[in-house]
Amino acid sequence: AGRSPASNEIRILVNQPLPPGPPSGLTAVVTGTTVTFDWSAPSSGGAVDNYVLIAGPTPRFGVPSVVAQLGAATGLVARDVPPGQYFVRILARN
């Protein structure tokens, strides 16, 4: 008993889901130390499974101070936000 030699090798490609387009209309309302974020789902691309919020003290997020994995809702209420200026982006994922 034993193993046979291997068959010939073939290449296959399984289609990846189309990535979602960018969320739009990001807004933030600050009330004391609570920030309420709202945005619209992407109007193009693949389905959205969840969102990621990225925030930091400088534009372009050289060193983000917050990277939060969110659910599929198009809004977030952040409480007890420390005083300061923040730059925020929302990304859609699937």
Side-chain angles (χ1 to χ4, degrees):
R3 292 190 309 192
S4 71
S7 71
N8 61 307
E9 179 178 274
I10 63 171
R11 179 176 179 235
I12 64 169
L13 176 62
V14 178
N15 290 333
Q16 300 267 342
L18 185 64
S24 62
L26 175 62
T27 62
V29 175
V30 178
T31 306
T33 60
T34 298
V35 183
T36 302
F37 296 99
D38 285 298
W39 61 89
S40 296
S43 60
S44 63
V48 175
D49 290 336
N50 56 60
Y51 293 95
V52 177
L53 178 138
I54 300 173
T58 59
R60 295 178 200 43
F61 308 103
V63 181
S65 53
V66 175
V67 177
Q69 308 294 325
L70 310 175
T74 56
L76 169 72
V77 176
R79 291 178 171 71
D80 300 322
V81 176
Q85 174 176 277
Y86 299 92
F87 295 86
V88 180
R89 286 190 181 168
I90 297 289
L91 305 168
R93 296 186 351 170
N94 63 8

